[in-house]
Amino acid sequence: MMMVSSKTFSSLQFFTLFYLFTVAFASTEEAIALLKWKATFKNQNNSLLASWTPSSNTCEDWYGIVCFNGRVNRLNITNSRVIGNLYAFPFSSLPFLENLNLSMNNFSGTIPPEISNLTNLVYLDLNSNQISGTIPQQIGSLAKLQILHIFDNHLNGSIPEEIGYLRSLTKLSLGRNFLTGSIPASFGNLNNLSFLLLHNNQLSGSIPEEIGYLRSLTKLSVGMNFLTGSIPASLGNLSNLSFLYLYDNHFSSSIPREIGYLRSLTDLHLGNNSLTGSIPASLGNLSNLSGLYLYNNNLSGSIPEEIGHLRSLSILHLSNNSLNGSIPASLGKLKNLSILILFYNHLSGTIPEEIGNLRSLTILALGVNSLSGSIPASLGNLNNLSSLILFDNHLSGTIPEEIGNLRSLTMLALGRNFLSGSIPASLGNLNNLSHMFLNDNNLKGEVPQCLGNISGLQLLMMSHNNLSGELPSSISNLTSLRILNLGRNNLRGAIPQCFGNIRSLQVFDMQNNKLSGTLPTNFSIGSSLISLNLHGNELEGRIPRSLSNCKKLQVLDLGDNHLNDTFPMWLGALTELRVLRLTSNKLHGPIRSSGTEIMFPDLRIIDLSNNAFSKDLSTSMFQHLKGMRTIDQTMKLPSYEGNGDYLDSVVVVSKGLKLEVVRIWSLYTVIDLSNNKFEGHIPGVLGDLIAIRVLNLSHNRLQGHIPPSLGSLSVVESLDLSFNQLSGEIPQQLASLTSLEFLNLSHNYLQGCIPQGPQFHTFERNSYEGNDGLRGFPVSKGCGNDPVSETNYTVSALEDQERNSEFFNDFWKAALMGYGSGLCIGLSIIYFLISTGNLRWLARIIEELEHKIIMRRRKKQRGQGNYRGRNNRF
């Protein structure tokens, strides 16, 4: 017995030693293979992998390595800043590897098909790398795989059908790649799948009905793809589903009522599709739902009352649809609701008082609907409200004083309604307010001084109201204010000097008020001002030189005031200035360039019309307008336009009409110097400004010929040179202006043939009237077929005119010689002329007198507008 036991013990020792020997040998092989892979990394000095050395113990010392029975079982080097690829990875040398996590590194290249050698792999995580290429179909051989994450890489191509063979798979994450093709129907075989994340790809086709077989599924995310078709009703079988994300696709048809069977659902996100029909009342059964997102679809009908049963709901986002009817009062029962967004629909009726019961509400957005009635005072109970957005409705009545109780409010948007009464002083209590929109209402009274207490206010919009009184100086205390728009009111008095010190101010719009006095003279160095619009007031004095401190200024509109100054050539140093409007003031004198190299380099609109500028047009200034030398330049919008906070607009005279142009830099390039006293010739350099769309030099004293270079203005739409003293022929080059829609050359001394071309055939006689020497369509039938006879006729007429003029002078000399004999001789001469019938000289006298009378009338008309403007808005 002792002999057997001894032999048995010896055998156990032998097998133990053999096992330990083979294990040690195998671990050495794995270590060598991993070191070879590490040697391919581009950052060999990686501190986290410094422990990977031949002299250290692989299983005990190496970072990220876990062994089982001496073999590498887990390799986890997530977020280790490794830069490399998988081509040298020892797939064949790690047969016992179950867990491989290489996520959040900088691995690139493709996934080798040899990955199929990791037959014991249970967990594979390659998330957040730079891996590209297609997913190898060999990955379908990893029968034990439970978790597959290749999220956030650069994968392309289609998803292999073979992934549907991985019956053990519980989580599949392939989102944030560039995968194309359809979702494989074989996914319907993955009975254990709980997570299916395919969002942020380029997948197309429809969702396979087979997805409805995945009864273990808890999260389905296929958002931000190009999926089409209808939402399968079979998804209603996924009783364990808690997240359903189908947003940002092209799904059409209606929302299946079967979605209402998903009692475990907490988030339903179907936004940004093309869904139609009504919102199913069955959604009221989703008692666990916390987020319902149906925005940006084509849904119609009313909001179901049953939505008020979703007591767990915290977010309801139904904007940008065609929903109608009234807002259900039942929504007032959603005590957990924090965000209610219903804007851009066709909702009508009043705002339910019950909305004031939603004490958890932080955002209430009901704008751009047809809501009427007054703003409920109960909204003052919403102590947590940060955004109240009711703009663009039909709300009337006054702004409730209770709104001033909303101390957490950061945005108040009540613009574009029919609100009346005065602005409540209680709004001065909104210390956290950053944006206030009260524009386009019927508000009256004064601007409350207490608004200057809202220290964090960045945007104040009160334009298009009936506000009166003076501009409160307390507003200058708002050191964070970026946009101040009180335009189109009835404000009076002077602009407080302290407004020039608001260094944060980007937009100052006080246009079309009744402000008087002078402009602030203390615009400070470092000013952020981008747009200054004081058009249409009663401001006097000079243009302050301190504006040169506003280096970021892009729009300056001081038109339609009583400013009395010379041209501010020093503004040319503002390199970002794009719009300069000084129209309808008392500006005078010549425009002289300063000789500086930089002068108005980015100007797009210059309007100096209706002033008293004189002398010759400055050729050198036009030479500096580099911004008008390139067509359709890409121009960066100011930050406030990009955000939609404020849109710059100016009025330009184009095609004989007054047009209000919005987003001015991307649409119009204008030079308007009309109704001044400019003399001399039209500079030929204007032809180099090929981006001009409107050129108006009318009602001046310009002489000489029309420059042929104007034929280079290929995009010009409106050209007005009327009421000047231009002579010569109309340049034939103008006939090539295919964009020209309006031409006015009337009341000059032009002669010769009118050019013929596609656009010139559209102009009527009034484009040329007052130029007696012009011939051709539409003034006359033609210019004559015989150029020789035309020339002879002209020479003969000139000789007759000269002869009769000399005779006329001799006649009056004779007629005035003496009282007695001179009178007899004069009468004899008259009798002789009448008897011979040569009265052509008399016709010439009458024509000359008529011409002088007409010119006197023109001079009286100068300074008066000849266009009856109508306001259009682009």
Side-chain angles (χ1 to χ4, degrees):
M1 189 64 124
M2 289 293 294
M3 290 292 293
V4 174
S5 298
S6 178
K7 286 181 179 180
T8 304
F9 179 75
S10 297
S11 298
L12 288 172
Q13 281 184 321
F14 171 77
F15 285 113
T16 301
L17 289 172
F18 178 78
Y19 174 76
L20 291 174
F21 173 77
T22 55
V23 165
F25 178 79
S27 295
T28 301
E29 181 186 3
E30 291 173 339
I32 292 172
L34 287 171
L35 287 172
K36 286 182 179 179
W37 179 50
K38 181 194 172 188
T40 66
F41 295 170
K42 294 181 180 180
N43 53 337
Q44 291 295 314
N45 56 350
N46 190 312
S47 59
L48 291 175
L49 300 184
S51 59
W52 286 29
T53 63
S55 59
S56 58
N57 188 302
T58 305
C59 295
E60 295 181 4
D61 300 330
W62 284 23
Y63 174 80
I65 299 292
V66 176
C67 295
F68 181 74
N69 289 333
R71 306 300 292 269
V72 176
N73 180 259
R74 294 187 180 186
L75 172 54
N76 183 354
I77 54 171
T78 181
N79 200 20
S80 298
R81 301 187 296 277
V82 174
I83 304 174
N85 56 59
L86 302 179
Y87 299 136
F89 187 88
F91 295 109
S92 301
S93 302
L94 301 173
F96 296 96
L97 190 66
E98 295 183 359
N99 187 308
L100 177 58
N101 189 344
L102 307 180
S103 64
M104 292 187 287
N105 283 290
N106 197 3
F107 287 108
S108 58
T110 60
I111 302 172
E114 289 82 5
I115 197 170
S116 61
N117 293 328
L118 300 177
T119 53
N120 286 305
L121 203 61
V122 174
Y123 182 99
L124 175 59
D125 192 344
L126 303 177
N127 281 351
S128 302
N129 280 287
Q130 308 293 323
I131 297 172
S132 58
T134 60
I135 302 172
Q137 61 184 22
Q138 290 84 351
I139 211 165
S141 303
L142 305 177
K144 296 182 179 180
L145 198 63
Q146 297 178 14
I147 295 175
L148 175 57
H149 293 326
I150 320 180
F151 174 85
D152 193 16
N153 278 281
H154 298 153
L155 297 172
N156 55 41
S158 58
I159 301 172
E161 285 276 348
E162 288 79 2
I163 290 182
Y165 305 157
L166 303 175
R167 301 299 182 97
S168 300
L169 208 60
T170 60
K171 293 182 179 180
L172 175 59
S173 176
L174 304 177
R176 290 196 184 179
N177 281 286
F178 300 96
L179 298 171
T180 56
S182 57
I183 300 172
S186 63
F187 281 8
N189 301 323
L190 305 176
N191 296 326
N192 295 305
L193 199 65
S194 62
F195 276 45
L196 178 56
L197 310 180
L198 305 177
H199 56 279
N200 288 70
N201 277 289
Q202 298 171 11
L203 300 172
S204 57
S206 59
I207 297 178
E209 286 281 343
E210 290 83 352
I211 299 296
Y213 304 160
L214 306 179
R215 302 301 178 95
S216 300
L217 207 60
T218 60
K219 188 170 185 177
L220 174 60
S221 178
V222 296
M224 299 187 75
N225 280 288
F226 300 105
L227 299 171
T228 56
S230 58
I231 298 173
S234 63
L235 297 186
N237 300 326
L238 307 177
S239 55
N240 292 305
L241 200 65
S242 58
F243 297 91
L244 179 56
Y245 293 154
L246 309 181
Y247 59 90
D248 282 0
N249 279 286
H250 302 300
F251 292 119
S252 56
S253 193
S254 58
I255 301 172
R257 61 184 179 84
E258 288 83 357
I259 299 296
Y261 303 160
L262 305 176
R263 301 300 180 96
S264 300
L265 207 60
T266 60
D267 281 89
L268 176 59
H269 201 327
L270 308 181
N272 270 339
N273 280 287
S274 300
L275 298 170
T276 57
S278 59
I279 300 173
S282 62
L283 298 187
N285 299 325
L286 305 177
S287 55
N288 292 305
L289 199 66
S290 64
L292 178 56
Y293 306 87
L294 304 179
Y295 60 86
N296 285 17
N297 279 287
N298 299 315
L299 299 172
S300 56
S302 59
I303 300 173
E305 285 280 344
E306 290 81 357
I307 299 296
H309 302 161
L310 305 176
R311 302 303 171 87
S312 300
L313 201 64
S314 62
I315 299 175
L316 178 58
H317 195 340
L318 308 179
S319 69
N320 285 79
N321 281 287
S322 299
L323 299 172
N324 53 36
S326 58
I327 298 173
S330 63
L331 298 186
K333 300 175 183 178
L334 304 176
K335 304 293 184 181
N336 293 306
L337 198 65
S338 62
I339 297 176
L340 176 57
I341 302 178
L342 305 178
F343 60 71
Y344 284 101
N345 278 287
H346 304 306
L347 300 172
S348 57
T350 59
I351 300 173
E353 287 278 347
E354 291 81 355
I355 298 295
N357 299 330
L358 305 176
R359 302 300 180 95
S360 300
L361 209 59
T362 59
I363 296 177
L364 176 59
L366 309 178
V368 198
N369 279 287
S370 300
L371 299 172
S372 57
S374 58
I375 299 173
S378 63
L379 298 187
N381 300 327
L382 306 177
N383 297 327
N384 294 304
L385 199 66
S386 62
S387 296
L388 177 57
I389 303 172
L390 306 179
F391 68 90
D392 215 340
N393 277 286
H394 301 151
L395 299 172
S396 57
T398 59
I399 300 173
E401 286 279 347
E402 290 81 356
I403 298 298
N405 299 333
L406 305 177
R407 303 299 178 92
S408 300
L409 207 62
T410 60
M411 176 179 285
L412 176 61
L414 307 180
R416 295 186 181 181
N417 280 286
F418 299 99
L419 299 172
S420 57
S422 58
I423 299 171
S426 63
L427 298 188
N429 301 326
L430 304 177
N431 295 325
N432 293 302
L433 199 66
S434 62
H435 291 62
M436 182 187 293
F437 298 87
L438 302 180
N439 54 290
D440 294 87
N441 280 287
N442 297 317
L443 299 172
K444 58 184 180 180
E446 297 186 356
V447 180
Q449 283 277 354
C450 59
L451 295 185
N453 300 331
I454 309 174
S455 58
L457 198 62
Q458 299 179 28
L459 189 150
L460 179 58
M461 301 275 282
M462 295 184 175
S463 64
H464 295 84
N465 280 287
N466 294 313
L467 300 172
S468 57
E470 297 189 356
L471 191 60
S473 59
S474 62
I475 290 179
S476 64
N477 299 330
L478 303 176
T479 56
S480 299
L481 195 63
R482 294 186 298 107
I483 298 176
L484 175 60
N485 185 359
L486 296 175
R488 293 179 170 88
N489 280 285
N490 295 310
L491 298 172
R492 299 177 179 272
I495 300 172
Q497 285 289 322
C498 51
F499 273 57
N501 295 324
I502 308 177
R503 298 184 63 174
S504 61
L505 199 61
Q506 296 178 359
V507 175
F508 185 23
D509 188 343
M510 297 294 299
Q511 63 178 302
N512 295 100
N513 278 282
K514 298 177 181 178
L515 299 172
S516 56
T518 60
L519 287 163
T521 58
N522 58 343
F523 291 96
S524 58
I525 296 174
S527 169
S528 300
L529 200 61
I530 298 175
S531 178
L532 175 60
N533 193 337
L534 301 176
H535 182 95
N537 282 283
E538 298 171 7
L539 299 170
E540 301 173 337
R542 307 187 70 175
I543 301 171
R545 289 294 294 256
S546 61
L547 278 174
S548 61
N549 294 327
C550 304
K551 302 298 184 183
K552 299 179 180 179
L553 196 63
Q554 296 182 14
V555 179
L556 177 60
D557 190 346
L558 304 178
D560 201 8
N561 280 285
H562 306 306
L563 299 174
N564 192 336
D565 202 349
T566 57
F567 182 74
M569 187 61 71
W570 44 268
L571 287 174
L574 300 178
T575 57
E576 296 188 29
L577 192 65
R578 296 175 181 172
V579 179
L580 176 61
R581 293 195 72 229
L582 303 176
T583 179
S584 302
N585 277 284
K586 298 178 181 178
L587 304 177
H588 53 85
I591 297 178
R592 301 292 187 213
S593 62
S594 61
T596 179
E597 292 184 2
I598 299 177
M599 192 193 313
F600 302 109
D602 207 21
L603 203 62
R604 298 298 196 280
I605 295 179
I606 179 169
D607 186 353
L608 308 180
S609 62
N610 295 293
N611 281 287
F613 291 116
S614 57
K615 303 296 183 181
D616 293 353
L617 293 174
S618 174
T619 299
S620 60
M621 189 182 79
F622 294 131
Q623 288 174 334
H624 284 86
L625 301 180
K626 295 180 180 178
M628 298 188 185
R629 291 174 178 264
T630 306
I631 299 173
D632 293 331
Q633 277 187 324
T634 301
M635 288 173 285
K636 183 180 178 182
L637 291 175
S639 58
Y640 55 79
E641 283 214 1
N643 298 333
D645 293 335
Y646 174 86
L647 294 178
D648 282 302
S649 66
V650 296
V651 175
V652 300
V653 175
S654 174
K655 306 169 191 175
L657 304 174
K658 285 185 177 180
L659 306 174
E660 185 176 5
V661 182
V662 183
R663 290 192 183 276
I664 42 189
W665 9 84
S666 59
L667 283 178
Y668 260 62
T669 304
V670 177
I671 295 180
D672 191 345
L673 307 180
S674 61
N675 285 290
N676 280 284
K677 300 178 180 179
F678 289 116
E679 302 171 353
H681 296 264
I682 298 175
V685 71
L686 279 172
D688 296 336
L689 309 181
I690 59 173
I692 293 178
R693 294 183 182 272
V694 177
L695 177 59
N696 191 346
L697 304 179
S698 66
H699 294 85
N700 280 287
R701 300 171 183 175
L702 300 172
Q703 300 173 341
H705 292 225
I706 299 173
S709 61
L710 297 188
S712 300
L713 305 179
S714 58
V715 296
V716 70
E717 300 171 8
S718 177
L719 177 60
D720 193 343
L721 306 179
S722 63
F723 288 92
N724 279 287
Q725 299 170 21
L726 300 172
S727 59
E729 296 186 348
I730 301 173
Q732 187 64 37
Q733 290 85 343
L734 298 189
S736 64
L737 299 177
T738 55
S739 297
L740 193 62
E741 298 178 16
F742 176 86
L743 175 67
N744 193 350
L745 303 178
S746 64
H747 301 288
N748 281 286
Y749 299 114
L750 300 172
Q751 60 185 8
C753 291
I754 297 172
Q756 299 303 304
Q759 293 304 113
F760 271 72
H761 287 157
T762 66
F763 303 135
E764 299 179 357
R765 292 176 63 92
N766 56 6
S767 293
Y768 310 103
E769 64 184 3
N771 293 281
D772 297 336
L774 286 177
R775 302 186 304 281
F777 180 85
V779 173
S780 63
K781 290 185 178 180
C783 287
N785 297 323
D786 185 2
V788 176
S789 62
E790 286 281 328
T791 304
N792 291 338
Y793 173 81
T794 304
V795 171
S796 174
L798 289 172
E799 287 175 352
D800 274 353
Q801 181 178 359
E802 183 178 352
R803 226 178 7 251
N804 288 324
S805 178
E806 291 173 356
F807 187 85
F808 174 74
N809 289 335
D810 291 339
F811 159 70
W812 282 113
K813 287 178 182 178
L816 294 174
M817 280 184 184
Y819 182 76
S821 60
L823 178 61
C824 294
I825 294 172
L827 290 173
S828 299
I829 293 171
I830 292 173
Y831 173 78
F832 171 76
L833 290 172
I834 293 174
S835 64
T836 58
N838 188 7
L839 294 178
R840 189 177 293 176
W841 63 274
L842 188 58
R844 291 292 179 187
I845 293 172
I846 294 171
E847 286 178 2
E848 288 179 10
L849 289 174
E850 182 183 18
H851 179 69
K852 290 180 180 179
I853 291 170
I854 290 172
M855 290 307 299
R856 286 196 185 109
R857 287 179 179 175
R858 287 184 188 175
K859 289 180 180 178
K860 289 181 181 180
Q861 289 172 348
R862 284 198 176 105
Q864 299 175 359
N866 280 276
Y867 297 123
R868 295 183 178 179
R870 74 170 179 233
N871 285 330
N872 293 335
R873 190 177 183 89
F874 281 1

